[in-house]
Amino acid sequence: MRLTDPEKSLVFGRTALRLSKKTNYINGSAESHRILGIGYYYLGKNDRAISNYLTALASFKETRNLTGQAKVYNNIGNLYKEVNYEKALEYFQKALTIATKLDAPDIVAGHYLNIGIINYRTKDYELALKHTKKSYEIFLKLDNPTGVTLALQNTGVIYNKLNQHKKAEKILLEAYARAKEANLNSTIASINLTLVAIYMKFKNYSKADQYLKEGTRYAIIGKDTKLQSDYLKRAYELERKRKDYKQALLYLQKLYTQDSLELQTTISKKFGLFEEQSKFQAREKESAIKLEKAKTNRVVFTASIAISILAVLIIIILFLNVQKKAKTNHQLKILNEEISVQKENLDTVNQNLEKIIDERTRDLQIKNRKLSEYSSHLSHQIRGPVATMKGLMILEQENLIEDEEFIKEIGKCVNEVDDRIININDVLHNLSESGLIPRVVDKETKS
């Protein structure tokens, strides 16, 4: 359900959790929390996802369920691959080590697929292809249609990045057909995004538009806000290619509006992820402290009984107890120091995030000012050449100008309009420019 309707994943996860608790089924409760984490991940709620994953991991460790631990490490890696590649790779490697030891090919295939994604995002495309191919071969052998589809999609994306567009198109169309057959909404939306880029390179704008509209629809159905934003960007690029600058400008305005919201959401997700993990680690340390205290109390109780039975052993027991308390106090001191360091780290992260938000706000203010200038500047810059063209048309209609001269003059006007639009567009995309400056044309055009 995670690829078709993640909200239903949450419904089934909650039902499973309720039944597991009722029957005191620890592994069932752990798996239920893992499923809830997956549902929240696909809905973009990373803080709730990590909270459920860590709860699941603790339970799987309690029952020594290595398969469950491998799956959770993989899930946590998926969370981090959006915000911290090094951390994501660390969790994927943990999962792969366990899965290889257990000889669980389905889990191994999933881990290779995810490691390939990290390789792709760190621009190591050859290694990305190698890991994705391994994943595809295992999924194919296991007859896992969803896994095969995802592996094909990732392979197509990598070949597109390597500028092997024909090969990428062929692979992605196969992945598209498989995703359609399995009703994998999110996967279809992701595949279409790459296909739109490929058909734009082929200058097949009608096909690009077809896949763009369908992909946008599936992104909305899947409630994937990041994909929806990516489709807005792709729509803007398509209209620029088709030279429909008015429509392109509308998409650009929507993108600028969403840009700030997306940044704030990403920062919030990242902060929430680290905050939830830090809270969980703090709870684990508190539990360790309580266990140590309980252990110490049991030792004291045993010592008291021993004193009443064998007076001779009192000195020895007290000596051992003092040693144990000293060791416990030392451990408590270390744990408290670690908690203080983590608090300082969180404060540093918070300060850095505030700086990033301030910088982004300044960028957006510059972009908004340039958009305002664009509207007024466009009418002034284009009005002159357009008026000239109107005058030429009147001369042509009254046969007061030769055809050759008419075509030449019209060409000059068109070139002037094109130069000014390109100039305005360049300035809009260059934050270092302070305003819109008319483009300098060559002497022949001026004359």
Side-chain angles (χ1 to χ4, degrees), residues 46-47 262-273 353:
N46 288 3
D47 52 342
E262 189 176 318
L263 175 68
Q264 290 175 14
T265 302
T266 303
I267 291 170
S268 176
K269 285 181 181 178
K270 187 173 182 179
F271 187 76
L273 194 62
L353 289 174

Side-chain angles (χ1 to χ4, degrees), residues 2-3 42 113 139 143-153 175 178-179 182 184 187:
R2 74 193 192 283
L3 297 175
Y42 275 92
L113 190 68
F139 279 135
D143 193 23
N144 184 325
T146 301
V148 169
T149 302
L150 295 173
L152 283 170
Q153 179 201 346
R178 288 174 176 270
L184 304 178
T187 307

